Amino acid sequence: MSVDVDLEGLTGQVKGPVLRPGDEGYDEERSGFQAGFRHEPSVIVGATCADDVRAAVRFAAGLDLPVAVHSTGHGIVTALRGEGVLISTHRMTGLELDAEARTVRVEAGVRWEQVIKAAAPHGLAPLNGSAPHVGVVGYLLGGGTGLMGREFGYASDLVRSLDVVTPDGTLRHVTAESDPDLFFALRGGGGAFGVVTAVETELVPVARFYGGGLYFEADDPVELLRAYHEWTLTVPEQLTSSIGLMGYPPAPAFPEPLRGKYVAHVRFVFNGSAEDGERLVEPLRALGPRLIDSVREMPYEEAGSVYHDPAFSHAYFGGNVLLRELDPIALQTLIDLAGPGTPVPCIIDIRHLGGALSRPPAHPSAVGGRSAQYVLRLMTGGMAAPPEAARPVHQRVYDALKQWTVGRSLNFVYNDGTPVSESQVRDLFEPETYARLQSLKSTVDPQNLFRHTHNIPLSPTT
């Protein structure tokens, strides 16, 4: 039976749009934050509810078509091209907050900025990341390395329950008690096990914080990196920080003091008093004149200003490695290979981990690399430097840092749409975790419908 014929039945089962290539709205529905590439499916289902998702999954399973899920489009890994079903969830925006229980339940299309706004009047905050416009569900499936991670741990550690449509079309309410294996996998194991339609997670009692960004002209980036590293060894767990290095184009899209300069940007959030925060940040301010100093006490609603991540759609390619330490000598190699003057422009981003991020959660999860103290991200943006040129530059850095590497972070994998190898997936998890995920994949998704993600191969015994 052809896909065209079956679409009539599918259209009658779902409330949202069902689109094919050439239909009005098809291109808009498959577009997102990542502008470098897009899914090119034979069918898109614009889901409005869990029942729409169930119908789409059953349809795909009946025709043995691969399935991909699209919300905000930040973390596309392997593009779905040709015969396949793309489930778009951005219409699923339900949000229910319980201030007394300090929990929030959100549907699959909700972004962190919506949760932040709903929680703030109650003096609560979620464990969101640097970009509030990121979707909640995709972020949690990757573990969630947040602005206050060193104090509160990975965001997925606070997940209470998930509603997921498994490849057989069943909607399952998953908790640590009801289904410990799936609860384990969905918190840090990616989207290879089904479509999460809703999630309930805890909030933390944070209304204000001291933080922001310090921008320095990086005439000597190695010394700035070394100074940042030494500073991180002295700060408490209530302070989570990072440093970014990049050359800013002389374009009006960027603040005037940064245009045309190679800049170091130190970002941090401190959940403590402004007085203590001033004392903690003083060694950084002493490094030299700042191009911009946005550090202050602020309500959590303004958390997006700390990193000031771009909210506009653009092309990018990148990856990461988790490091058990930040070797001061290796920092010179990092700048030599990816710093100013290299053939392919790179954005260098180093985030301080440790603290609660290194401790096991109350319920085991798939998040790996908890022994890491830092995560190094490399990114190349724009169409002028395609992935084919950037990939070998990034890889030379990762190879040079191999002796300090303990894995990779699932949240910070930004591929170029090409298939991901099994060895790349293995690097994301501890060996015993990978084996457990592989076994579960064979049980939950024996057809391997969900293979356009950080895919977990079927167990060899299947």
Side-chain angles (χ1 to χ4, degrees):
M1 187 177 295
S2 72
V3 172
D4 288 346
V5 172
D6 271 355
L7 280 184
E8 296 180 11
L10 177 61
T11 302
Q13 295 179 56
V14 302
K15 298 176 182 177
V18 177
L19 304 169
R20 292 174 292 183
D23 288 346
E24 183 179 356
Y26 175 89
D27 283 337
E28 181 180 359
E29 197 72 23
R30 68 191 179 100
S31 299
F33 188 76
Q34 169 61 275
F37 59 94
R38 294 184 291 182
H39 292 292
E40 299 174 11
S42 53
V43 180
I44 301 178
V45 176
T48 65
C49 59
D51 284 342
D52 283 2
V53 174
R54 292 182 65 202
V57 171
R58 288 196 301 266
F59 167 80
L63 294 173
D64 197 23
L65 297 175
V67 177
V69 183
H70 184 79
S71 176
T72 61
H74 278 73
I76 299 174
V77 178
T78 301
L80 174 58
R81 295 190 171 102
E83 292 293 312
V85 178
L86 179 67
I87 300 174
S88 173
T89 65
H90 66 86
R91 293 173 179 81
M92 300 174 63
T93 57
L95 186 156
E96 300 172 11
L97 188 140
D98 186 332
E100 186 175 347
R102 293 181 184 170
T103 62
V104 64
R105 181 185 183 276
V106 300
E107 292 185 337
V110 173
R111 305 182 185 211
W112 282 117
E113 56 197 0
Q114 296 164 272
V115 181
I116 293 170
K117 183 178 180 180
H122 307 283
L124 300 172
L127 294 188
N128 59 283
S130 59
H133 50 279
V134 165
V136 172
V137 169
Y139 171 88
L140 291 175
L141 289 175
T145 308
L147 292 177
M148 300 182 289
R150 282 174 40 80
E151 180 175 6
F152 295 108
Y154 286 95
S156 61
D157 293 348
L158 298 191
V159 168
R160 293 272 192 91
S161 67
L162 308 100
D163 293 344
V164 57
V165 176
T166 47
D168 60 0
T170 301
L171 178 62
R172 296 162 68 169
H173 183 67
V174 177
T175 67
E177 293 74 28
S178 70
D179 195 334
D181 285 335
L182 202 48
F183 190 69
F184 171 90
L186 292 173
R187 292 157 47 251
F193 306 95
V195 185
V196 174
T197 61
V199 62
E200 180 187 17
T201 188
E202 298 175 30
L203 302 170
V204 295
V206 175
R208 305 183 66 81
F209 66 89
Y210 181 81
L214 300 172
Y215 295 80
F216 301 90
E217 188 164 4
D219 296 324
D220 191 344
V222 175
E223 283 307 306
L224 280 171
L225 286 176
R226 289 174 177 166
Y228 170 75
H229 168 245
E230 292 174 4
W231 177 74
T232 63
L233 301 178
T234 68
V235 299
E237 292 183 3
Q238 290 74 27
L239 192 151
T240 303
S241 69
S242 70
I243 183 170
L245 293 166
M246 67 173 286
Y248 280 84
F254 302 102
E256 191 280 329
L258 309 181
R259 296 174 194 167
K261 298 182 176 70
Y262 191 77
V263 174
H265 180 197
V266 181
R267 300 74 61 106
F268 75 94
V269 167
F270 172 60
N271 185 25
S273 69
E275 293 76 17
D276 287 342
E278 287 280 353
R279 175 180 53 80
L280 288 166
V281 78
E282 182 54 35
L284 294 178
R285 285 199 168 113
L287 294 177
R290 280 85 63 196
L291 299 171
I292 299 174
D293 184 338
S294 66
V295 175
R296 58 189 171 85
E297 186 178 37
M298 65 182 84
Y300 197 83
E301 286 175 285
E302 298 179 21
S305 70
V306 173
Y307 281 71
H308 203 62
D309 283 341
F312 54 86
S313 175
H314 62 284
Y316 51 94
F317 164 79
N320 72 89
V321 286
L322 293 165
L323 304 171
R324 66 172 177 269
E325 61 180 280
L326 202 59
D327 183 78
I329 297 175
L331 294 176
Q332 180 67 61
T333 302
L334 171 62
I335 294 301
D336 290 343
L337 294 175
T342 53
V344 174
C346 295
I347 298 171
I348 297 171
D349 181 74
I350 297 173
R351 303 196 178 196
H352 188 201
L353 305 178
L357 294 166
S358 293
R359 292 193 283 272
H363 301 287
S365 80
V367 174
R370 287 183 184 261
S371 63
Q373 296 300 300
Y374 302 90
V375 57
L376 165 67
R377 298 195 306 150
L378 290 178
M379 295 185 66
T380 296
M383 304 304 291
E388 298 77 32
R391 191 181 296 110
V393 174
H394 293 194
Q395 191 59 49
R396 281 194 287 272
V397 174
Y398 302 147
D399 290 343
L401 299 177
K402 190 166 293 184
Q403 63 179 301
W404 299 285
T405 299
V406 298
R408 294 193 302 148
S409 167
L410 181 55
N411 271 132
F412 297 132
V413 174
Y414 309 110
N415 204 12
D416 58 357
T418 57
V420 179
S421 69
E422 183 177 352
S423 64
Q424 289 175 309
V425 178
R426 282 183 179 272
D427 288 344
L428 297 167
F429 306 105
E430 306 295 343
E432 60 275 16
T433 295
Y434 183 81
R436 183 175 178 181
L437 294 176
Q438 194 174 21
S439 176
L440 181 65
K441 175 72 171 177
S442 297
T443 301
V444 173
D445 186 15
Q447 286 182 260
N448 198 22
L449 291 180
F450 292 90
R451 54 184 180 268
H452 288 270
T453 177
H454 306 90
N455 191 31
I456 311 298
L458 298 175
S459 170
T461 59
T462 299

